[in-house]
Amino acid sequence: MDLTKKIDKYIEQVDGTPKTKKTYKDDIIEFLNFLCENNKTIETPKIFEYYTDYLKKIKHRTASTVRRKKTVITRFYLFCFPSDELNHFSNCIVYYDRNGKLIIKDYSQLINKTPKIN
């Protein structure tokens, strides 16, 4: 499957409005263009540090926009590589906090549990 189809398939499964889906697709494409233009890969050490600097200093993006972009890219990466070591968080929310730290909240223990009625 080529990358364009993979992006489209990922965007199809995203929960959100058409505008949100377009924004996410643009985020992924912008990151891929950044990688190509700078001769880097997703495996490049500190790639998100380079990308964050680029977004803030060159593109003048806000901190919240940078967090969103990094979250979208991380989720897309996990979608593309389901055998990734983080895949065991199948019922999780992945995002970056205000300090730039990757947060993975695992909700698998809450799924399929019947609430107690007293």
Side-chain angles (χ1 to χ4, degrees):
M1 179 181 293
D2 75 8
L3 192 54
T4 303
K5 289 180 182 175
K6 193 75 162 178
I7 293 169
D8 289 341
K9 189 170 181 173
Y10 171 72
I11 295 301
E12 284 175 16
Q13 60 90 41
V14 168
D15 221 7
T17 67
K19 182 180 177 185
T20 298
K21 290 181 177 199
K22 182 186 180 323
T23 300
Y24 288 5
K25 185 174 183 175
D26 291 346
D27 289 345
I28 294 166
I29 291 169
E30 180 182 32
F31 179 68
L32 295 173
N33 286 333
F34 166 81
L35 293 177
C36 291
E37 291 168 5
N38 293 280
N39 199 28
K40 299 199 181 300
T41 69
I42 190 71
E43 290 86 16
T44 301
K46 300 183 180 184
I47 190 60
F48 275 140
E49 288 179 32
Y50 295 132
Y51 191 55
T52 298
D53 287 346
Y54 165 79
L55 291 172
K56 288 181 177 177
K57 294 176 182 171
I58 306 296
K59 293 291 194 169
H60 307 289
R61 301 290 190 241
T62 64
S64 62
T65 298
V66 171
R67 281 193 309 274
R68 184 203 69 232
K69 288 177 179 291
K70 288 173 33 180
T71 297
V72 169
I73 294 159
T74 301
R75 289 177 181 171
F76 178 64
Y77 179 83
L78 292 173
F79 174 82
C80 289
F81 301 100
S83 62
D84 189 281
E85 65 188 41
L86 296 176
N87 192 47
H88 62 278
F89 293 104
S90 59
N91 299 302
C92 67
I93 294 176
V94 177
Y95 66 94
Y96 285 81
D97 70 8
R98 292 177 188 254
N99 298 317
K101 181 179 176 192
L102 177 64
I103 304 295
I104 301 172
K105 290 190 177 181
D106 185 0
Y107 291 100
S108 61
Q109 305 216 4
L110 300 176
I111 296 174
N112 297 325
K113 288 206 172 184
T114 308
K116 291 182 182 178
I117 300 174
N118 292 332

